[in-house]
Amino acid sequence: MKKYILLLVVSFQIGYATPKDTIPNFTNYHKYFNHFEEKEEDCDACGCSASGGSMGFSSMLNSNFIGVRYFHQSYKSTNGLYSNSPWYDENFNTLQIWARIPIVKRVQVSALVPYHFHSRETALGNQKINGLGDATILGMYQLYQTHKDSTIFVHTLQVGGGLKIPIGKFDAANNGSVNPSYQVGTGAWDYLLASEYVIKKKQFGINTMLNYVIKTENEKNYRFGNQFNYASTLFWVYQTSKFSVVPLLGIAGEVFEDNFQHKQKVRNTSGDIFMGKIGFEIGKDKFSLGANAMLPINQNLTGGNVVANYRWSINLNYSL
């Protein structure tokens, strides 16, 4: 964990150095490139009922937008009872309406409404669940921004908070499975604390995100563990008179605390995952198309009984 934190610290330190230059004016796509990668909101226990997570809360090209996003997560799991216990595939799919809307000066609100359709193999055959998931609302306040005409590096710091609203169905019968997050909802209100730091020099920049999700107990006396998410993304803006392209390269991670049932700690529900990510966004007029993929570098989920294979997403946005 120390090496992951060190990477984030380095990302924060890069820009506090040199003054005096001018910053080019980009099109309406590039007012600030505030890309809220991660995290997203909550990926309970291993991303299974995620509605934001390391996939992020906003677009790199569109500062304010409404759009649709699909993301897929692939896992495998085992009960771990024997050394030769079989492994089963788990696939989690989410179709999401998402938006980022300005409210007043310095304040933006992001909203996510997901629909989940998950499937997994079991010893008794394939199992499927689907339904509307938990909605998320996140407000961000721009605490600080460097004057663009006074330094080579432009710094932007945002802080905020939000809520996850328990719209999705929580099935208590799934708690006893290897992956207790095989759900479309958590059945509980959660509270988000978030921060985002962006440093830019001309077409290049680094976005670093930290957030913490405080989980509460649902009506079935089950509480998912609190979650810490982090991400750092290097981006480069290539722009012509007809379109804009932003390649992305970075890291992301999630740390999960233990789940509780009837106030008792549930074994093998804590864990962490550290991932690399790559992606792009391309924009023309008021539309943009984005895609990214994430691969695990290091992970320890549910005592090693759940393994993440990969995640990927694609989105189409309309700039407001």
Side-chain angles (χ1 to χ4, degrees):
M1 186 63 193
K2 291 181 178 179
K3 64 181 180 180
Y4 307 155
I5 295 174
L6 179 60
L7 286 169
L8 291 174
V9 171
V10 171
S11 297
F12 272 89
Q13 297 288 336
I14 290 176
Y16 288 97
T18 322
K20 303 290 183 195
D21 197 2
T22 58
I23 304 298
N25 290 320
F26 299 111
T27 68
N28 63 322
Y29 279 126
H30 311 302
K31 290 184 179 178
Y32 15 74
F33 312 113
N34 288 336
H35 188 216
F36 199 88
E37 278 289 323
E38 105 145 230
K39 251 336 160 174
E40 259 61 320
E41 200 259 329
D42 54 327
C43 303
D44 299 306
C46 62
C48 311
S49 54
S51 54
S54 298
M55 290 296 180
F57 278 105
S58 72
S59 162
M60 185 69 73
L61 283 175
N62 311 102
S63 55
N64 301 301
F65 67 93
I66 185 168
V68 60
R69 174 169 63 171
Y70 167 79
F71 62 90
H72 172 80
Q73 303 175 77
S74 172
Y75 297 88
K76 60 182 180 179
S77 66
T78 181
N79 59 25
L81 294 178
Y82 307 100
S83 59
N84 63 345
S85 292
W87 287 84
Y88 297 104
D89 291 332
E90 300 183 346
N91 293 285
F92 302 93
N93 304 280
T94 299
L95 186 64
Q96 200 175 66
I97 301 297
W98 65 330
R100 188 165 183 171
I101 301 169
I103 303 301
V104 295
K105 185 179 180 180
R106 295 179 176 267
V107 176
Q108 290 177 312
V109 171
S110 296
L112 308 172
V113 180
Y115 183 87
H116 301 295
F117 44 108
H118 304 330
S119 65
R120 66 179 176 184
E121 297 176 344
T122 71
L124 301 177
N126 292 336
Q127 180 183 12
K128 296 182 179 181
I129 59 172
N130 59 77
L132 196 64
D134 296 339
T136 300
I137 298 177
L138 176 71
M140 297 295 288
Y141 174 75
Q142 187 184 93
L143 191 64
Y144 174 79
Q145 184 172 34
T146 310
H147 294 296
K148 294 185 179 181
D149 58 354
S150 62
T151 111
I152 289 178
F153 293 97
V154 175
H155 307 269
T156 303
L157 175 64
Q158 294 191 92
V159 296
L163 293 171
K164 182 179 70 62
I165 305 167
I167 297 174
K169 179 182 177 181
F170 175 82
D171 186 353
N174 284 333
N175 288 353
S177 64
V178 174
N179 189 344
S181 293
Y182 187 76
Q183 306 280 354
V184 296
T186 63
W189 292 82
D190 295 341
Y191 305 97
L192 289 76
L193 302 174
S195 64
E196 180 186 27
Y197 172 72
V198 182
I199 176 173
K200 304 191 300 287
K201 180 182 179 182
K202 297 183 178 179
Q203 290 95 339
F204 290 91
I206 296 176
N207 174 293
T208 299
M209 179 280 303
L210 303 172
N211 70 43
Y212 189 72
V213 186
I214 302 169
K215 313 289 180 69
T216 66
E217 186 176 85
N218 61 29
E219 293 181 351
K220 304 294 184 180
N221 302 115
Y222 197 90
R223 181 175 73 83
F224 288 95
N226 294 346
Q227 182 174 337
F228 172 63
N229 306 303
Y230 60 90
S232 190
T233 304
L234 175 67
F235 61 88
W236 174 63
V237 180
Y238 173 76
Q239 184 181 12
T240 71
S241 59
K242 295 184 178 180
F243 64 91
S244 304
V245 179
V246 182
L248 311 169
L249 183 66
I251 58 170
E254 300 159 359
V255 181
F256 315 98
E257 299 178 13
D258 292 294
N259 297 352
F260 283 80
Q261 188 167 25
H262 296 287
K263 311 297 183 183
Q264 299 296 313
K265 185 184 296 185
V266 182
R267 293 178 60 249
N268 293 331
T269 52
S270 63
D272 61 85
I273 183 169
F274 176 65
M275 297 168 284
K277 60 182 177 180
I278 187 170
F280 72 89
E281 284 197 62
I282 181 168
K284 180 176 174 57
D285 300 326
K286 285 184 171 289
F287 289 93
S288 68
L289 177 70
N292 71 73
M294 305 176 74
L295 291 175
I297 297 172
N298 186 64
Q299 60 179 301
N300 177 27
L301 300 173
T302 64
N305 291 332
V306 174
V307 174
N309 296 321
Y310 57 84
R311 302 177 187 178
W312 63 268
S313 75
I314 186 168
N315 62 269
L316 178 65
N317 297 334
Y318 179 79
S319 182
L320 300 176

mmCIF file of all heavy atoms in Angstrom, residues 233-249:
data_model
loop_
_atom_site.group_PDB
_atom_site.id
_atom_site.type_symbol
_atom_site.label_atom_id
_atom_site.label_comp_id
_atom_site.label_asym_id
_atom_site.label_seq_id
_atom_site.Cartn_x
_atom_site.Cartn_y
_atom_site.Cartn_z
ATOM 1 N N THR A 233 -4.150 10.116 -13.450
ATOM 2 C CA THR A 233 -4.234 9.924 -14.890
ATOM 3 C C THR A 233 -3.439 10.993 -15.631
ATOM 4 O O THR A 233 -3.633 12.190 -15.414
ATOM 5 C CB THR A 233 -5.704 9.986 -15.362
ATOM 6 O OG1 THR A 233 -6.471 9.025 -14.639
ATOM 7 C CG2 THR A 233 -5.813 9.694 -16.849
ATOM 8 N N LEU A 234 -2.547 10.554 -16.510
ATOM 9 C CA LEU A 234 -1.812 11.447 -17.402
ATOM 10 C C LEU A 234 -2.610 11.600 -18.687
ATOM 11 O O LEU A 234 -3.050 10.604 -19.269
ATOM 12 C CB LEU A 234 -0.430 10.866 -17.705
ATOM 13 C CG LEU A 234 0.431 11.615 -18.722
ATOM 14 C CD1 LEU A 234 0.849 12.980 -18.176
ATOM 15 C CD2 LEU A 234 1.658 10.786 -19.090
ATOM 16 N N PHE A 235 -2.827 12.854 -19.138
ATOM 17 C CA PHE A 235 -3.578 13.063 -20.378
ATOM 18 C C PHE A 235 -2.863 14.060 -21.281
ATOM 19 O O PHE A 235 -2.067 14.888 -20.837
ATOM 20 C CB PHE A 235 -5.011 13.512 -20.089
ATOM 21 C CG PHE A 235 -5.133 14.817 -19.342
ATOM 22 C CD1 PHE A 235 -5.169 16.028 -20.014
ATOM 23 C CD2 PHE A 235 -5.232 14.823 -17.955
ATOM 24 C CE1 PHE A 235 -5.299 17.229 -19.335
ATOM 25 C CE2 PHE A 235 -5.360 16.012 -17.261
ATOM 26 C CZ PHE A 235 -5.391 17.226 -17.948
ATOM 27 N N TRP A 236 -3.161 13.970 -22.574
ATOM 28 C CA TRP A 236 -2.591 14.854 -23.587
ATOM 29 C C TRP A 236 -3.698 15.223 -24.561
ATOM 30 O O TRP A 236 -4.427 14.360 -25.044
ATOM 31 C CB TRP A 236 -1.458 14.145 -24.339
ATOM 32 C CG TRP A 236 -0.911 14.924 -25.498
ATOM 33 C CD1 TRP A 236 -0.286 16.135 -25.453
ATOM 34 C CD2 TRP A 236 -0.934 14.545 -26.879
ATOM 35 N NE1 TRP A 236 0.083 16.534 -26.718
ATOM 36 C CE2 TRP A 236 -0.299 15.573 -27.612
ATOM 37 C CE3 TRP A 236 -1.433 13.439 -27.565
ATOM 38 C CZ2 TRP A 236 -0.154 15.520 -28.999
ATOM 39 C CZ3 TRP A 236 -1.285 13.384 -28.954
ATOM 40 C CH2 TRP A 236 -0.639 14.428 -29.651
ATOM 41 N N VAL A 237 -3.833 16.515 -24.858
ATOM 42 C CA VAL A 237 -4.895 17.014 -25.724
ATOM 43 C C VAL A 237 -4.348 17.298 -27.119
ATOM 44 O O VAL A 237 -3.447 18.119 -27.286
ATOM 45 C CB VAL A 237 -5.527 18.297 -25.156
ATOM 46 C CG1 VAL A 237 -6.643 18.794 -26.074
ATOM 47 C CG2 VAL A 237 -6.045 18.064 -23.751
ATOM 48 N N TYR A 238 -4.886 16.597 -28.107
ATOM 49 C CA TYR A 238 -4.554 16.865 -29.507
ATOM 50 C C TYR A 238 -5.792 17.442 -30.168
ATOM 51 O O TYR A 238 -6.863 16.835 -30.147
ATOM 52 C CB TYR A 238 -4.129 15.586 -30.217
ATOM 53 C CG TYR A 238 -3.923 15.766 -31.702
ATOM 54 C CD1 TYR A 238 -2.788 16.404 -32.192
ATOM 55 C CD2 TYR A 238 -4.876 15.331 -32.619
ATOM 56 C CE1 TYR A 238 -2.589 16.593 -33.547
ATOM 57 C CE2 TYR A 238 -4.696 15.504 -33.980
ATOM 58 C CZ TYR A 238 -3.555 16.136 -34.443
ATOM 59 O OH TYR A 238 -3.373 16.327 -35.790
ATOM 60 N N GLN A 239 -5.643 18.615 -30.777
ATOM 61 C CA GLN A 239 -6.802 19.329 -31.289
ATOM 62 C C GLN A 239 -6.581 19.820 -32.717
ATOM 63 O O GLN A 239 -5.517 20.331 -33.057
ATOM 64 C CB GLN A 239 -7.112 20.522 -30.391
ATOM 65 C CG GLN A 239 -8.367 21.269 -30.780
ATOM 66 C CD GLN A 239 -8.600 22.453 -29.869
ATOM 67 O OE1 GLN A 239 -7.708 22.824 -29.104
ATOM 68 N NE2 GLN A 239 -9.770 23.042 -29.942
ATOM 69 N N THR A 240 -7.605 19.620 -33.568
ATOM 70 C CA THR A 240 -7.623 20.197 -34.906
ATOM 71 C C THR A 240 -8.869 21.073 -35.017
ATOM 72 O O THR A 240 -9.641 21.190 -34.071
ATOM 73 C CB THR A 240 -7.661 19.101 -35.988
ATOM 74 O OG1 THR A 240 -8.955 18.486 -35.984
ATOM 75 C CG2 THR A 240 -6.596 18.046 -35.739
ATOM 76 N N SER A 241 -9.067 21.671 -36.170
ATOM 77 C CA SER A 241 -10.251 22.522 -36.367
ATOM 78 C C SER A 241 -11.549 21.717 -36.402
ATOM 79 O O SER A 241 -12.627 22.259 -36.214
ATOM 80 C CB SER A 241 -10.110 23.320 -37.665
ATOM 81 O OG SER A 241 -9.976 22.442 -38.774
ATOM 82 N N LYS A 242 -11.451 20.394 -36.615
ATOM 83 C CA LYS A 242 -12.648 19.568 -36.770
ATOM 84 C C LYS A 242 -12.932 18.646 -35.587
ATOM 85 O O LYS A 242 -14.082 18.295 -35.340
ATOM 86 C CB LYS A 242 -12.533 18.729 -38.043
ATOM 87 C CG LYS A 242 -12.519 19.559 -39.322
ATOM 88 C CD LYS A 242 -12.502 18.668 -40.549
ATOM 89 C CE LYS A 242 -12.546 19.504 -41.832
ATOM 90 N NZ LYS A 242 -12.530 18.640 -43.048
ATOM 91 N N PHE A 243 -11.893 18.228 -34.879
ATOM 92 C CA PHE A 243 -12.119 17.295 -33.784
ATOM 93 C C PHE A 243 -10.999 17.419 -32.745
ATOM 94 O O PHE A 243 -9.969 18.047 -32.993
ATOM 95 C CB PHE A 243 -12.207 15.845 -34.290
ATOM 96 C CG PHE A 243 -10.939 15.339 -34.920
ATOM 97 C CD1 PHE A 243 -9.974 14.692 -34.142
ATOM 98 C CD2 PHE A 243 -10.713 15.495 -36.273
ATOM 99 C CE1 PHE A 243 -8.801 14.230 -34.718
ATOM 100 C CE2 PHE A 243 -9.542 15.036 -36.851
ATOM 101 C CZ PHE A 243 -8.585 14.394 -36.074
ATOM 102 N N SER A 244 -11.210 16.793 -31.592
ATOM 103 C CA SER A 244 -10.233 16.772 -30.507
ATOM 104 C C SER A 244 -10.069 15.342 -30.015
ATOM 105 O O SER A 244 -11.038 14.584 -29.948
ATOM 106 C CB SER A 244 -10.700 17.652 -29.345
ATOM 107 O OG SER A 244 -10.946 18.969 -29.774
ATOM 108 N N VAL A 245 -8.833 14.982 -29.663
ATOM 109 C CA VAL A 245 -8.534 13.647 -29.152
ATOM 110 C C VAL A 245 -7.717 13.770 -27.877
ATOM 111 O O VAL A 245 -6.789 14.586 -27.806
ATOM 112 C CB VAL A 245 -7.758 12.798 -30.184
ATOM 113 C CG1 VAL A 245 -7.436 11.418 -29.594
ATOM 114 C CG2 VAL A 245 -8.548 12.649 -31.462
ATOM 115 N N VAL A 246 -8.088 12.970 -26.863
ATOM 116 C CA VAL A 246 -7.357 12.973 -25.596
ATOM 117 C C VAL A 246 -6.990 11.541 -25.231
ATOM 118 O O VAL A 246 -7.835 10.779 -24.754
ATOM 119 C CB VAL A 246 -8.185 13.602 -24.455
ATOM 120 C CG1 VAL A 246 -7.376 13.638 -23.163
ATOM 121 C CG2 VAL A 246 -8.657 14.997 -24.828
ATOM 122 N N PRO A 247 -5.720 11.118 -25.440
ATOM 123 C CA PRO A 247 -5.274 9.818 -24.937
ATOM 124 C C PRO A 247 -5.066 9.887 -23.419
ATOM 125 O O PRO A 247 -4.669 10.936 -22.882
ATOM 126 C CB PRO A 247 -3.934 9.594 -25.654
ATOM 127 C CG PRO A 247 -3.880 10.635 -26.728
ATOM 128 C CD PRO A 247 -4.694 11.785 -26.255
ATOM 129 N N LEU A 248 -5.316 8.766 -22.723
ATOM 130 C CA LEU A 248 -5.224 8.704 -21.269
ATOM 131 C C LEU A 248 -4.376 7.512 -20.842
ATOM 132 O O LEU A 248 -4.468 6.434 -21.427
ATOM 133 C CB LEU A 248 -6.614 8.551 -20.647
ATOM 134 C CG LEU A 248 -7.719 9.495 -21.112
ATOM 135 C CD1 LEU A 248 -9.071 9.017 -20.587
ATOM 136 C CD2 LEU A 248 -7.437 10.905 -20.619
ATOM 137 N N LEU A 249 -3.572 7.703 -19.795
ATOM 138 C CA LEU A 249 -2.772 6.615 -19.240
ATOM 139 C C LEU A 249 -2.630 6.854 -17.744
ATOM 140 O O LEU A 249 -2.294 7.967 -17.321
ATOM 141 C CB LEU A 249 -1.386 6.576 -19.904
ATOM 142 C CG LEU A 249 -0.460 5.438 -19.485
ATOM 143 C CD1 LEU A 249 -1.026 4.092 -19.938
ATOM 144 C CD2 LEU A 249 0.941 5.658 -20.059
#
